[in-house]
C-alpha cells in the first residue's frame, strides 16, 4: 500500500528526525483513540491524542496526552500560564490548526502554538501521534518529538 507523506512527515524529514508512518483503518463512527490503538495493535498508553485548548490569558495551546486519559483543564491552564482553559469548539479546529478531528497532529500546525506533552511519554521508547490525517499515525521517539516541537512535559491529564 502506498502511503502518502503528510506535511507533518515532510517536516520531520526536513529536520532529519527518524519516524515511521503507520497506516490504520479508519472508522468514521469511532474516531476514538481506543480504536486507533486496537488497529495498531499497541497499548493505548502509547497512542497519544492531540487536543487544542484556549486559555483565558494566553490564547490557544496544544496538549498531547495518552489515549486513555482526558486533559485536566486546571493543570493544563496552570502549566500554560492561564487561570482557566477549555477545549476549542470543533468548528474552530480546522481554521485554527489546519487539521480535522481525528487527524490533528502537534507537528505542522498552522501557527507555532505552545505544546504540552504528558509526562508518561518518557516511559516509552516510542509513541504514536497523528500524522495529520485520519488513518495515519507517526511512530516517533518522545525525546525527538519534545525537542522538535519545543514542548513542555508535564502532568496535564487524568
Amino acid at each position: 500500500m502506498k502511503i502518502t507523506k503528510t506535511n507533518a512527515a515532510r517536516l520531520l524529514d526536513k529536520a532529519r528526525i527518524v519516524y515511521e508512518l503507520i497506516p490504520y483503518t479508519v472508522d468514521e463512527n469511532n474516531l476514538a483513540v481506543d480504536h486507533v490503538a486496537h488497529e495498531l495493535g499497541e497499548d493505548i498508553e502509547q497512542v497519544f491524542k492531540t487536543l487544542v485548548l484556549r486559555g483565558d490569558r494566553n490564547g490557544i495551546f496544544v496538549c498531547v496526552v495518552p489515549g486513555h486519559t482526558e486533559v485536566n483543564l486546571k493543570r493544563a491552564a496552570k502549566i500554560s500560564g492561564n487561570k482557566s482553559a477549555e477545549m476549542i469548539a470543533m468548528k474552530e479546529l480546522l481554521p485554527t490548526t489546519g487539521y480535522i478531528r481525528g487527524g490533528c497532529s502537534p507537528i505542522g500546525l498552522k501557527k507555532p502554538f505552545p505544546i504540552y506533552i504528558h509526562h508518561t511519554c518518557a516511559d516509552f521508547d516510542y509513541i504514536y501521534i497523528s500524522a495529520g490525517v485520519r488513518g495515519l499515525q507517526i511512530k516517533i521517539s518522545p525525546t525527538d518529538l519534545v525537542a522538535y516541537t519545543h514542548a513542555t512535559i508535564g502532568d496535564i491529564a487524568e
Side-chain angles (χ1 to χ4, degrees):
M1 175 174 127
K2 171 107 173 73
I3 298 172
T4 305
K5 285 223 170 159
T6 62
N7 188 42
R10 286 190 289 276
L11 289 167
L12 291 174
D13 287 345
K14 190 175 174 191
R16 294 193 166 91
I17 292 174
V18 175
Y19 68 94
E20 282 179 65
L21 284 176
I22 312 289
Y24 67 92
T25 305
V26 177
D27 178 351
E28 292 295 337
N29 298 316
N30 181 7
L31 297 174
V33 181
D34 57 352
H35 170 75
V36 177
H38 176 78
E39 285 292 316
L40 295 172
E42 291 284 355
D43 288 331
I44 196 165
E45 291 86 8
Q46 271 181 276
V47 182
F48 281 61
K49 56 189 175 185
T50 304
L51 304 167
V52 183
L53 292 83
R54 177 178 286 110
D56 65 330
R57 292 182 177 166
N58 300 326
I60 301 290
F61 64 99
V62 175
C63 289
V64 183
V65 299
H68 66 296
T69 66
E70 294 300 325
V71 167
N72 178 306
L73 295 175
K74 281 194 170 85
R75 288 188 217 145
K78 187 174 181 184
I79 198 171
S80 63
N82 290 286
K83 255 197 163 125
S84 65
E86 61 184 16
M87 298 284 291
I88 66 168
M90 199 57 64
K91 66 177 191 267
E92 293 180 78
L93 189 62
L94 182 60
T96 302
T97 66
Y99 292 123
I100 60 168
R101 179 172 174 251
C104 189
S105 179
I107 298 169
L109 295 158
K110 257 186 174 177
K111 291 181 183 166
F113 298 113
I115 295 176
Y116 303 91
I117 301 179
H118 194 257
H119 66 89
T120 57
C121 72
D123 297 346
F124 305 105
D125 293 333
Y126 61 88
I127 60 171
Y128 292 88
I129 57 167
S130 175
V133 293
R134 291 177 185 165
L136 199 58
Q137 291 279 300
I138 290 174
K139 181 179 178 180
I140 189 170
S141 148
T143 309
D144 288 344
L145 178 64
V146 168
Y148 181 77
T149 59
H150 306 289
T152 300
I153 293 181
D155 185 9
I156 54 172
E158 54 192 1

